[in-house]
Amino acid sequence: MIFIMATKAKYLLIEEEIRKRILNGIYPARELMPDQNTLAQEFNVSRMTIKKALDRLASLGLIYKQSGLGTLVLGNIPIKAAEDSPANAFDGLTEQQGAEKIQSKIIVFDVKFPSEDIQKKLDIQKDCPVYEIVRLRILEGDPLILEHTYMPVELVPGLNEKILESSVYEYLHQNLKLKFGGAYRKIRAGVPDKFDKKYLNARDTDPMLELEEIIWLNNGKNIEYSASRNRYDKRSYTVIDVNDF
């Protein structure tokens, strides 16, 4: 029996351990891995905790869960690269890459009344103040993503520069106890603007990849509108589709 003791959520630690076992061949590809009851007993946690860990691994394409048959190990995806990011993730860059690897540089942090466009995207009134945030996310010293974000102040009280320099999503989930209900996301290509050239070292001829999204809470309120931009050679987005029919 393995006892999990750390400040990090148990399901995240279990996910990391099972991921290591898959990548190291302890759980071989194309074979069934231990069932949830066995894993729950080994890690001394509930089945729900194991399920959360396995759900995250399934979203990465490392395993395939099929009701009544068990969990099949798929292993690493041949076309997946280190710079790939799940297009349907809700955990944010800090959680994906690790806090020790990510640095956030604040370019703009302001509170203002929303434009007509932001009013529509966040479904708010014109007298509802919003945070305007522009952050440069740096991965191991290399400029990676330029994030343009708007959030209603009433839904995210207490946001400050210290939080922006670490993880906004951790603040939303752990401190404010907010839960995401879903997101609409659009990925498209574009040409570099002045911010891309200045902060991402983009040349005039470099295609830019933009992830535009609106995220809503489980109560239906829109909490974030953002557009994250990166150079074509720095990051790509992946989607795992599972046919469970």
Side-chain angles (χ1 to χ4, degrees), residues 95-212:
E95 185 63 48
Q96 292 172 18
Q97 298 290 342
E100 70 282 356
K101 297 181 180 180
I102 295 296
Q103 177 186 354
S104 298
K105 178 180 179 181
I106 302 171
I107 299 170
V108 176
F109 180 40
D110 198 5
V111 175
K112 58 174 57 178
F113 290 115
S115 65
E116 288 188 13
D117 182 54
I118 298 302
Q119 291 173 46
K120 292 178 182 178
K121 288 183 167 66
L122 290 176
D123 191 24
I124 56 177
Q125 300 299 315
K126 63 181 180 181
D127 59 350
C128 178
V130 297
Y131 296 109
E132 179 186 18
I133 305 162
V134 180
R135 288 194 302 173
L136 176 64
R137 312 304 299 280
I138 302 167
L139 176 62
E140 297 184 320
D142 192 20
L144 180 65
I145 305 169
L146 197 58
E147 297 176 345
H148 303 256
T149 305
Y150 293 88
M151 291 180 165
V153 173
E154 67 174 357
L155 294 182
V156 192
L159 191 62
N160 56 44
E161 291 189 353
K162 184 177 180 180
I163 296 169
L164 293 179
E165 289 172 349
S166 55
S167 173
V168 175
Y169 281 9
E170 181 179 347
Y171 177 69
L172 297 180
H173 300 320
Q174 301 300 324
N175 294 75
L176 299 183
K177 307 300 180 184
L178 298 175
K179 294 183 179 181
F180 292 158
Y184 171 79
R185 295 184 169 109
K186 178 166 63 176
I187 302 173
R188 61 186 175 189
V191 297
D193 60 23
K194 63 179 182 180
F195 282 97
D196 300 328
K197 294 175 184 178
K198 181 176 181 179
Y199 295 104
L200 296 176
N201 302 320
R203 298 167 296 185
D204 291 339
T205 56
D206 282 337
M208 302 301 299
L209 192 60
E210 180 180 272
L211 175 63
E212 185 180 20

Side-chain angles (χ1 to χ4, degrees), residues 14-22 27 33 54 57:
I14 294 170
E15 176 207 343
E16 291 175 0
E17 174 60 28
I18 295 177
R19 186 202 303 242
K20 289 178 184 177
R21 295 180 184 183
I22 292 173
Y27 295 154
M33 61 181 292
L54 296 182
L57 292 167

Side-chain angles (χ1 to χ4, degrees), residues 2 4 10-15 18 21 27 33-58 63 65 71:
I2 297 177
I4 302 294
K10 289 182 179 180
Y11 73 92
L12 294 175
L13 294 168
I14 294 170
E15 176 207 343
I18 295 177
R21 295 180 184 183
Y27 295 154
M33 61 181 292
D35 62 36
Q36 293 186 18
N37 287 329
T38 301
L39 291 171
Q41 184 175 3
E42 177 187 357
F43 289 101
N44 192 34
V45 296
S46 67
R47 279 193 61 188
M48 181 58 66
T49 300
I50 295 298
K51 181 180 182 302
K52 289 178 70 174
L54 296 182
D55 284 346
R56 288 174 61 87
L57 292 167
I63 62 174
K65 298 193 300 177
T71 302

